[in-house]
Amino acid sequence: MSRTGRLRASSRAAALSFLRRRTAVFFTFLFPLLIVLIFGALIETGAGGGGLFAEPPGYYVPGYLAVVVLFTPLSRVGSEVARHREGNRFEKLATTPLRRWEWLFAQTLVNVAVIGLAALLLLALLVVVTGAEITLSPLLIPFVVAGVALFCGIGALIGALADSQDGVIATSNAIALPLLFLSETFAPPSLLPAWFRPALELSPLTYFSRGVRAATFDSSGDPLANLAVLIGLAALALAVGALALPRVD
């Protein structure tokens, strides 16, 4: 079988695996929409009040998008790797022409498609519910693709190192929750202690937030520079994640 055929078959298997898990579908599509309804409609955002959610609604678009770009790849790919380890599937895959990086690339393709659709629905709801005034920049597509790829790579690494699926979920949440709120998403840097602000540069999600915000809301930023950093981090994460996948179980 050709490489294209292997990727196609592996991607199809990954897509069917996702659709069979109703919990995964719920958290990918419905959970982010609930977050928007809660924080966008019930806890209304608006400039002038000070504190958290004091910025215009458009400022928080990267934060809402980060919910799916961050959480879904980490948990889905990490759990998939853990399931393959527990079922001795990597040992079986080692007897086939499918390489480890091809398997991870196929998983990433499926996540990009699923999360891209979820992000599109999320953006539409954001505009309707919060009245966010944003620019629908074509740069949103590479930002979402690079962000998903980045956290797919990290998810693969978590799945390869965690001792169980429960361990994957616990580790993913322990990583994702701090990143979600400490990466210039919902909390502006001005709200954080001065001594902590340099640490924002260490979060890969910061470059997603800055870039998306510069492309859709704040034109004073540089989206291309942040996109370049994000792509570099994504390539590194996928390479490390593929190397971490076990050859045998």
Side-chain angles (χ1 to χ4, degrees), residues 15 28 37 47 62 84 111 132 145 148 173 193 195 197 201 216 219 225 236 238 247:
T28 300
L37 292 174
H84 272 60
N111 275 273
V145 171
V148 172
N173 289 335
W195 61 265
R197 292 172 195 169
E201 307 294 332
T216 62
S219 59
L236 178 61
L238 286 174
R247 294 182 183 276

Side-chain angles (χ1 to χ4, degrees), residues 96-158:
T96 71
L98 186 69
R99 299 182 179 181
R100 291 178 297 169
W101 73 264
E102 292 174 341
W103 182 89
L104 180 56
F105 186 69
Q107 295 288 327
T108 302
L109 288 178
V110 172
N111 275 273
V112 166
V114 171
I115 295 169
L117 179 58
L120 181 62
L121 295 175
L122 196 61
L123 273 176
L125 186 66
L126 274 169
V127 173
V128 172
V129 172
T130 69
E133 298 180 358
I134 60 174
T135 301
L136 293 178
S137 170
L139 287 175
L140 276 173
I141 296 175
F143 269 110
V144 171
V145 171
V148 172
L150 168 63
F151 292 109
C152 280
I154 297 176
L157 182 61
I158 292 172

Side-chain angles (χ1 to χ4, degrees), residues 2 9 11 14 34-36 48 75 99 101 108 115 121 173 210 225-226 235 241:
S2 67
S11 298
L34 292 176
I35 295 296
V36 171
S75 60
R99 299 182 179 181
W101 73 264
T108 302
I115 295 169
L121 295 175
N173 289 335
R210 288 175 179 172
N226 286 286

Side-chain angles (χ1 to χ4, degrees), residues 193-234:
W195 61 265
F196 183 81
R197 292 172 195 169
L200 295 174
E201 307 294 332
L202 301 177
S203 169
L205 191 63
T206 296
Y207 302 98
F208 175 83
S209 302
R210 288 175 179 172
V212 170
R213 186 170 293 118
T216 62
F217 178 73
D218 183 5
S219 59
S220 64
D222 187 350
L224 294 179
N226 286 286
L227 180 59
V229 174
L230 195 65
I231 291 174
L233 292 174

Side-chain angles (χ1 to χ4, degrees), residues 39-58:
F39 291 101
L42 299 181
I43 305 176
E44 295 183 359
T45 61
L52 194 62
F53 289 107
E55 301 291 336

Side-chain angles (χ1 to χ4, degrees), residues 6-185:
R6 294 196 299 270
L7 289 174
R8 186 185 301 113
S10 187
S11 298
R12 183 175 182 275
L16 293 175
S17 175
F18 168 75
L19 293 175
R20 282 196 297 265
R21 292 181 172 86
R22 296 179 182 178
T23 303
V25 175
F26 171 82
F27 277 98
T28 300
F29 290 97
L30 297 183
F31 179 71
L33 302 184
L34 292 176
I35 295 296
V36 171
L37 292 174
I38 291 172
F39 291 101
L42 299 181
I43 305 176
E44 295 183 359
T45 61
L52 194 62
F53 289 107
E55 301 291 336
Y59 180 90
Y60 301 103
V61 167
Y64 290 119
L65 289 178
V67 174
V68 287
V69 169
L70 171 63
F71 278 88
T72 303
L74 280 182
S75 60
R76 283 203 65 246
V77 175
S79 296
E80 196 67 20
V81 172
R83 279 192 293 270
H84 272 60
R85 290 174 57 198
E86 292 173 2
N88 297 321
R89 297 180 191 174
F90 283 113
E91 186 171 352
K92 298 173 184 176
L93 285 176
T95 64
T96 71
L98 186 69
R99 299 182 179 181
R100 291 178 297 169
W101 73 264
E102 292 174 341
W103 182 89
L104 180 56
F105 186 69
Q107 295 288 327
T108 302
L109 288 178
V110 172
N111 275 273
V112 166
V114 171
I115 295 169
L117 179 58
L120 181 62
L121 295 175
L122 196 61
L123 273 176
L125 186 66
L126 274 169
V127 173
V128 172
V129 172
T130 69
E133 298 180 358
I134 60 174
T135 301
L136 293 178
S137 170
L139 287 175
L140 276 173
I141 296 175
F143 269 110
V144 171
V145 171
V148 172
L150 168 63
F151 292 109
C152 280
I154 297 176
L157 182 61
I158 292 172
L161 297 178
D163 57 359
S164 65
Q165 292 187 51
D166 290 339
V168 168
I169 299 301
T171 304
S172 297
N173 289 335
I175 293 174
L177 283 172
L179 287 183
L180 182 62
F181 293 99
L182 299 175
S183 302
E184 296 189 20
T185 48

